[in-house]
Amino acid sequence: MSRAIIDAREWQKVFDLRTGTAKADTSPLDQMVRAVQERHPYPGDLDSAGNRWVTDTALDLMERYDPSFVFLTYAQQYFSGRYSIQTDADRAAAVTAVYEEVERFVAQSGFTPLIVGTGGMIPLLASVDLTRLDGLALCTHWSARYAGLHDPSPRDLRTVASHPEIERIVTREEFLSLFRDCPADAARIPEYLLVARQGCMFKTVGGAFRKVRKVPAPGYSIPVSACLEEVSDSTDVRAAVEKRLRNGRVALIFVEGLGVEDFPWPYRAIDNGREWFFYETGDAQYLTVTTGRHQVFEYPVGYRYFEEDGPAMEFPFSGYFRSVPEDAIAASFGGRSIAVGNRSMFMHMATGADISLECFARNLYNQGTMAVIHRSDKA
Amino acid sequence: MQCNYCERRCDLSGGKPGVCRMYEDADGAIRERFPHHWSSCIPSRIESIPFYHVRPGSRALVIGTMGCNFSCRYCSNAFIAKEDPTLVAERMLRLSPSEVVRKARQMGCGSIVFNVNEPAMSFPSLLELAEAARAEGISLGCLTNAYTTEESTEMLASIFSFFNIGLKGLSPAFNRDFIGITSVEPILRNIRRLAATRHVEVTTPIIESINDNELGEMARFLADVDPEIPWHVFRLLPEDEMKESCYPDIETIAGALESVRSILPYVYFHNFVGSEWVNTHCPGCGALVIERFSLGCGGDKLKSFHCAGQGCQDCGRQIRLAGDVECAWKHGEVQR
């Protein structure tokens, strides 16, 4: 049974991850994790100490659990880039800061790092307002480039077809065909996927109101550490990690909001999607890397997420996720694994690590941290 | 030219903007500056808003506009409520009343709830929306600070059928120093007025060592208004000017609330993940009648419902519930 430990600052509670039922479990492993959470309160998504929290928390947890595989996510520079006014100097400083944090982790842990930049960021040029369509347009997953369109009228289709900031209109069938090797529940996929031009983002009902400053840059290619010579696609990363795990300890490190244009390590550019489709940072991109196969339809962009959010919904702490992926990289790894990150509450699902520790924040509101323990039998 | 929508009663003559900056003097009449501009239009579980005693398990369309007549130092939505509306307006959604109602229908929302900022900022738009919603059989609710004049409180009552009113503190010093108003009396008056004819829940954000000493007095006031009024005590996560302040200690506040549970039967403590103080127990026999789950900023949700109609399954006592309860959740989804 997977369990979630919530730390809301000076108050902790253990829950069954699947049902959300409170648990009294106080095993030594739980106590150890709870103590780590107590020692490392999350400073907040926009706080400059957010990335230091990742390194400090990971090193603390590693000292007590002794894992062979570590998954890390550094995201402070992504949040500040998305929502703060940044000069070029500010941006450069943010990149330097995350570089130094990752290097500090590598130096202190001695792990072999495999670093992935999830894609760069560029200034927002324009918003594409879809709220007045007759049908229902939805953005999900904090997406800027993609929106789902449900039940459009003929007038809607004429409107989006003539919109100068819409790059492409993709039918459900065309989208399914592009990833025909991926399992899909076609009914959950919007009738049309709308694709915005570079630098533009969709405005739909259901969106958050905070002013966005930057959006994902065109991310057909993303950078990975130059040592990954055999990798040419994001679906190849997993095998490369597993290969290195046979000979030593490995840290797979996601650095959010950095693309090939500002990746501070020697890198190799790899494919991050297929044809016109590239992954924006988010759970689908994480899942693609951690499972080694494309994952565009598991929780499709622009879907009617709220229809699945009923009282019977399982995994209440896990965002869009409705089940634990069985083939995530850490889930099928025989050694010990941990994951630490400040991106969102999906890392514990996307990685399947024995122990995950992540921030519990939503729309930048900081509610503390959450640890998830999937495996106790390796302790 | 005096604006009489709220108790600030701002002078708008000569182009003065007023505290909220949302109304102007238009040749002797008060005119809304940004009609039908919405900062939010998003489906939500009704428990997340929060309404715990209205159509449990249902989905509501949450809307909001911009601007506020309060100056709460800890404001969680300062980027909407405190920003100059002229700077924010271009990012707003511009939807007519019928379009808002259609979005509610498209997303399966049985009600529309004004949240985010203060409904008194947008009276003319909300009057039109209420008319369009009523025609479609959709009810309206709101969160409000209730700092409205007596006349506009009647307008609120005509627009909305259920309310969650913010009662932030009682002392003049607190209201002056943390909220920026001279007196809480209009709010107390309006709670009495609205609770007389509408469903009212009340929310109090708690700042430890600042207003937690008033919990007992607030509970007694509320019980005097309505002995079964639902009361949400929020663990305030201070933002804006108080961003560096400590979060209230959960056990301390929970302990302080124990003493008021004998005064009010429906007392909740939440706004943090995993709160165990979000369930409803029958005031008659103590049986668990509505079980909820709290995700803090991620919102609360219905987990199980154990009423028979509007009564306790065990003893039959009436439970405070508003709206069409039987239609409010999908049968089979709720654990009965």
Side-chain angles (χ1 to χ4, degrees):
Chain A
M1 178 201 75
S2 300
R3 50 204 184 278
I5 305 172
I6 299 297
D7 183 304
R9 291 197 189 178
E10 290 106 34
W11 188 83
Q12 295 184 332
K13 197 92 183 163
V14 183
F15 298 89
D16 181 306
L17 183 71
R18 184 178 65 82
T19 64
T21 307
K23 309 295 291 184
D25 195 329
T26 52
S27 71
L29 186 65
D30 287 37
Q31 297 290 4
M32 180 275 284
V33 173
R34 293 171 71 149
V36 172
Q37 288 177 274
E38 269 180 21
R39 285 193 291 275
H40 301 283
Y42 182 56
D45 289 339
L46 295 176
D47 195 295
S48 60
N51 284 341
R52 187 163 70 236
W53 176 86
V54 176
T55 303
D56 289 344
T57 305
L59 291 171
D60 194 350
L61 193 54
M62 291 166 73
E63 189 178 328
R64 283 152 186 82
Y65 189 64
D66 193 26
S68 299
F69 175 60
V70 171
F71 182 98
L72 299 180
T73 292
Y74 291 89
Q76 192 277 336
Q77 67 286 345
Y78 167 72
F79 291 118
S80 59
R82 185 175 171 106
Y83 290 114
S84 306
I85 298 173
Q86 280 187 327
T87 63
D88 289 348
D90 294 334
R91 174 68 178 170
V95 173
T96 300
V98 69
Y99 172 82
E100 290 175 351
E101 266 320 308
V102 172
E103 290 297 308
R104 181 166 75 89
F105 169 81
V106 171
Q108 292 191 30
S109 70
F111 274 47
T112 299
L114 302 177
I115 307 169
V116 177
T118 62
M121 304 180 81
I122 56 175
L124 173 66
L125 300 176
S127 292
V128 182
D129 188 349
L130 302 176
T131 58
R132 306 199 71 171
L133 297 179
D134 299 327
L136 182 65
L138 292 171
C139 278
T140 56
H141 305 76
W142 279 28
S143 177
R145 176 174 161 84
Y146 306 107
L149 179 55
H150 305 262
D151 305 320
S153 67
R155 185 182 74 100
D156 291 344
L157 294 177
R158 287 194 299 274
T159 300
V160 296
S162 62
H163 199 293
E165 310 296 356
I166 296 179
E167 177 181 297
R168 181 180 288 267
I169 301 164
V170 183
T171 64
R172 177 189 288 155
E173 293 70 29
E174 189 185 345
F175 195 21
L176 285 164
S177 170
L178 182 63
F179 290 94
R180 64 170 62 85
D181 50 326
C182 299
D185 176 359
R188 293 171 77 228
I189 297 169
E191 287 163 79
Y192 293 90
L193 183 72
L194 307 180
V195 183
R197 288 198 191 283
Q198 175 178 324
C200 300
M201 73 177 293
F202 287 114
K203 184 195 284 188
T204 66
V205 296
F209 185 70
R210 288 184 193 272
K211 185 170 177 59
V212 172
R213 308 284 177 175
K214 283 186 174 163
V215 293
Y220 299 100
S221 297
I222 54 172
V224 298
S225 306
C227 60
L228 291 166
E229 305 88 3
E230 71 273 40
V231 172
S232 62
D233 188 276
S234 55
T235 55
D236 300 334
V237 174
R238 175 186 170 134
V241 172
E242 288 175 328
K243 180 178 154 191
R244 284 158 180 77
L245 274 171
R246 288 183 213 120
N247 300 314
R249 299 180 174 214
V250 175
L252 176 58
I253 302 171
F254 271 38
V255 183
E256 291 276 353
L258 265 60
V260 292
E261 53 291 323
D262 50 10
F263 197 63
W265 294 272
Y267 70 89
R268 190 179 162 75
I270 63 169
D271 291 342
N272 176 45
R274 198 174 274 176
E275 297 182 18
W276 54 266
F277 179 88
F278 65 80
Y279 292 99
E280 294 180 305
T281 177
D283 41 10
Q285 186 187 49
Y286 276 59
L287 273 175
T288 297
V289 171
T290 61
T291 63
R293 56 187 174 84
H294 285 291
Q295 297 274 4
V296 281
F297 301 135
E298 192 69 26
Y299 303 97
V301 67
Y303 78 119
R304 296 178 194 253
Y305 63 96
F306 46 83
E307 290 185 346
E308 301 178 14
D309 190 16
M313 184 197 82
E314 296 189 324
F315 299 101
F317 300 107
S318 304
Y320 293 115
F321 282 79
R322 298 291 170 263
S323 61
V324 183
E326 293 176 358
D327 55 350
I329 183 167
S332 50
F333 174 57
R336 291 185 184 182
S337 58
I338 67 161
V340 177
N342 57 352
R343 171 62 171 88
S344 188
M345 293 101 74
F346 58 71
M347 191 185 62
H348 62 279
M349 296 297 240
T351 66
D354 301 349
I355 303 169
S356 298
L357 211 164
E358 52 203 310
C359 63
F360 203 109
R362 182 157 173 174
N363 288 331
L364 308 185
Y365 293 114
N366 180 8
Q367 296 260 323
T369 66
M370 176 172 72
V372 169
I373 301 176
H374 282 308
R375 297 283 295 265
S376 302
D377 55 324
K378 297 182 192 171
Chain B
M1 184 65 198
Q2 189 180 54
C3 174
N4 285 320
Y5 280 135
C6 93
E7 285 289 353
R8 296 275 190 190
R9 298 184 191 272
C10 295
D11 176 13
L12 301 184
S13 58
K16 292 195 193 81
V19 168
C20 72
R21 299 171 284 187
M22 290 293 283
Y23 294 105
E24 62 189 354
D25 174 4
D27 299 326
I30 300 295
R31 184 168 66 191
E32 186 182 10
R33 292 179 65 202
F34 306 99
H36 308 296
H37 283 49
W38 309 99
S39 60
S40 174
C41 184
I42 185 166
S44 171
R45 301 179 293 260
I46 201 158
E47 285 81 6
S48 293
I49 295 173
F51 281 99
Y52 277 9
H53 291 255
V54 179
R55 298 168 56 87
S58 68
R59 190 182 305 147
L61 183 72
V62 169
I63 58 170
T65 56
M66 54 187 168
C68 192
N69 53 347
F70 276 9
S71 310
C72 303
R73 290 176 56 194
Y74 50 77
C75 181
S76 300
N77 292 325
F79 57 97
I80 298 172
K82 289 189 175 181
E83 279 281 353
D84 181 344
T86 54
L87 301 178
V88 180
E90 54 94 14
R91 299 189 346 247
M92 308 286 278
L93 310 180
R94 297 184 190 189
L95 299 171
S96 68
S98 61
E99 286 174 319
V100 173
V101 171
R102 190 172 73 233
K103 296 301 170 196
R105 283 275 180 239
Q106 287 175 327
M107 292 190 275
C109 299
S111 58
I112 297 173
V113 178
F114 190 99
N115 191 348
V116 183
N117 63 318
E118 171 55 39
M121 304 300 95
S122 309
F123 266 124
S125 290
L126 289 170
L127 282 164
E128 289 183 51
L129 176 62
E131 197 174 327
R134 206 170 287 127
E136 289 289 320
I138 292 180
S139 57
L140 258 63
C142 76
L143 271 61
T144 176
N145 60 34
Y147 197 61
T148 39
T149 60
E150 288 183 79
E151 308 91 285
S152 58
T153 302
E154 294 306 319
M155 213 183 298
L156 284 177
S158 74
I159 296 170
F160 300 108
S161 53
F162 52 98
F163 292 81
N164 190 321
I165 300 175
L167 177 59
K168 299 165 197 300
L170 296 175
S171 82
F174 174 84
N175 280 289
R176 182 188 64 230
D177 297 343
F178 288 87
I179 309 299
I181 59 173
T182 53
S183 170
V184 73
E185 286 307 322
I187 299 169
L188 304 183
R189 175 196 71 210
N190 293 336
I191 290 174
R192 285 188 189 282
R193 158 64 191 96
L194 292 170
T197 61
R198 293 290 180 266
H199 174 83
V200 169
E201 303 185 19
V202 171
T203 292
T204 297
I206 281 295
I207 317 172
E208 196 172 345
S209 307
I210 303 289
N211 65 349
D212 52 342
N213 60 324
E214 295 186 317
L215 287 170
E217 196 178 345
M218 282 192 261
R220 283 187 289 277
F221 164 77
L222 294 174
D224 184 55
V225 172
D226 172 359
E228 295 201 358
I229 200 166
W231 189 27
H232 304 260
V233 176
F234 254 43
R235 185 197 195 204
L236 182 71
L237 309 182
E239 296 276 342
D240 200 30
E241 296 170 46
M242 294 179 66
K243 193 166 178 55
E244 304 307 319
S245 304
C246 292
Y247 289 8
D249 182 80
I250 290 171
E251 295 295 347
T252 301
I253 304 301
L257 284 173
E258 280 311 307
S259 61
V260 305
R261 291 182 192 279
S262 59
I263 304 172
L264 289 168
Y266 303 125
V267 176
Y268 307 103
F269 178 36
H270 52 127
N271 198 35
F272 53 97
V273 186
S275 170
E276 56 200 60
W277 297 276
V278 291
N279 296 333
T280 300
H281 294 268
C282 172
C285 69
L288 175 67
V289 289
I290 306 176
E291 188 181 12
R292 304 180 187 86
F293 183 78
S294 180
L295 281 169
C297 56
D300 299 347
K301 63 183 288 188
L302 180 67
K303 195 170 179 188
S304 63
F305 186 84
H306 307 285
C307 293
Q310 299 206 340
C312 171
Q313 261 181 357
D314 288 1
C315 72
R317 188 192 192 282
Q318 190 88 352
I319 304 298
R320 175 66 59 87
L321 289 169
D324 185 359
V325 176
E326 278 299 327
C327 296
W329 59 85
K330 292 178 183 172
H331 289 279
E333 280 199 3
V334 180
Q335 300 163 33
R336 282 176 175 273

